[in-house]
Amino acid sequence: MSETAPTDDKTVVRRRQAVAAVALIAGAATLWAASRMVWATLTVTDDLSPVRAMDVHGSDWSPWLTPLALVLLAAIAAGAALRGWALRLVAILVALCGVLAASPAVSMLVGGDQDSYAAKAIDLAPQFRLLLVSTNGWAGVVVLVGAALAVIGGVLLLRVANGERMSSKYESPAARRAELEKKTFREYRERQQEQPSDAESSAPESERLLWDALDTGVDPTAEDQDSTDGK
C-alpha cells in the first residue's frame, strides 16, 4: 500500500491540474461572454429628435473583463510550466483576478448610482438628457459565475503546487527499497552479460547474496563498483 503512495500523489496532482485548467477555461469563456452582453440600456433624448436607446455592454461597464479572461488563459500555460513558489504566485494572482472581476457585478446587483456610471461608461455626449436606465441583472450573475470559476481555478492551482511539494518530499522506506532493488538487479544483469559464460552457473548463488545484501539496506553493486575503481 505504501509503495504506491508517491504514484497516487502524482495522479492526484495531475487530476487537480486538469480540473484547474477546465475551471480556468470555463471562467475565461464566461468572462468574455459577459463582456459582450448588454449590461444596461439608456433611454436618452436631446429634445430635438425622438427618444433613443443606447446599450451599455460589459466591455463598457467593466473594461477589464476581457484582459482578465486572457490572464486566466495564460495561467493555464503557467500552471503546466511553473512549479513551487512561482506556481503559488500565479494561483494567488488568478484568485485575485476572480475577486476583481466580481466587483463591478456586485456593485450593479446591489444598486448605487448606476445612472451616472452607465452614462460615463459609454461617454454619453452632453447634449443628451438621460431619462431612464434599465440594467440587466443576468449580466451580473454571469460575471459572478466566471469570477467563482476563476477563484476555484486559483485554489486548485495552489493545491497543485502544494501537492507537488509533498509528492517530491514523500518517499516511503518500501518505495526506496523497491527502487534500490531495481537498480541493483539491473546493474547485476549488465555485469552478468559482460562476464564469461562459466559465471552463469553461479548466478543463483549470486542472486541470493544480492537479496541478503539488500535485506541489510546495502547496495552490493555500489561496493563492487568501488572495488573495481580501486583496482
Side-chain angles (χ1 to χ4, degrees):
M1 186 70 176
S2 59
E3 294 182 13
T4 61
T7 303
D8 292 342
D9 288 345
K10 292 180 180 179
T11 302
V12 171
V13 168
R14 287 194 294 267
R15 185 181 299 116
R16 288 175 181 171
Q17 193 171 20
V19 175
V22 171
L24 292 176
I25 292 174
T30 304
L31 293 180
W32 180 84
S35 71
R36 315 305 297 176
M37 293 178 64
V38 175
W39 283 44
T41 300
L42 279 61
T43 304
V44 300
T45 181
D46 60 358
D47 295 326
L48 298 176
S49 57
V51 174
R52 56 187 298 186
M54 296 183 177
D55 292 335
V56 181
H57 293 87
S59 56
D60 301 319
W61 192 287
S62 180
W64 52 81
L65 285 177
T66 300
L68 288 179
L70 295 177
V71 170
L72 297 185
L73 293 178
I76 298 174
L82 300 179
R83 296 291 183 272
W85 282 107
L87 183 56
R88 292 185 184 91
L89 290 176
V90 170
I92 294 172
L93 177 62
V94 168
L96 291 177
C97 286
V99 175
L100 180 62
S103 58
V106 171
S107 65
M108 185 185 73
L109 293 174
V110 300
D113 189 11
Q114 299 179 3
D115 293 357
S116 59
Y117 185 85
K120 291 179 181 179
I122 60 172
D123 195 16
L124 185 65
Q127 68 267 23
F128 289 106
R129 182 164 53 91
L130 185 61
L131 300 178
L132 178 66
V133 175
S134 302
T135 57
N136 180 12
W138 283 108
V141 173
V142 171
V143 170
L144 291 180
V145 171
L149 289 170
V151 172
I152 291 172
V155 172
L156 289 174
L157 284 180
L158 187 61
R159 296 186 67 183
V160 167
N162 293 335
E164 287 176 343
R165 180 186 64 177
M166 295 300 296
S167 177
S168 63
K169 286 187 176 181
Y170 174 76
E171 188 180 7
S172 66
R176 289 196 298 270
R177 175 180 171 81
E179 182 64 25
L180 177 61
E181 289 175 357
K182 288 195 294 184
K183 174 186 174 184
T184 298
F185 281 96
R186 183 173 61 251
E187 295 179 0
Y188 169 74
R189 293 299 184 187
E190 291 175 355
R191 288 199 183 94
Q192 286 288 78
Q193 293 175 358
E194 296 174 356
Q195 290 176 356
S197 58
D198 58 355
E200 295 179 358
S201 59
S202 62
E205 181 66 20
S206 300
E207 291 188 6
R208 186 183 67 78
L209 294 176
L210 285 174
W211 281 111
D212 291 341
L214 287 169
D215 287 336
T216 63
V218 177
D219 183 358
T221 61
E223 294 181 356
D224 293 344
Q225 184 66 37
D226 292 341
S227 60
T228 302
D229 295 341
K231 292 179 180 180

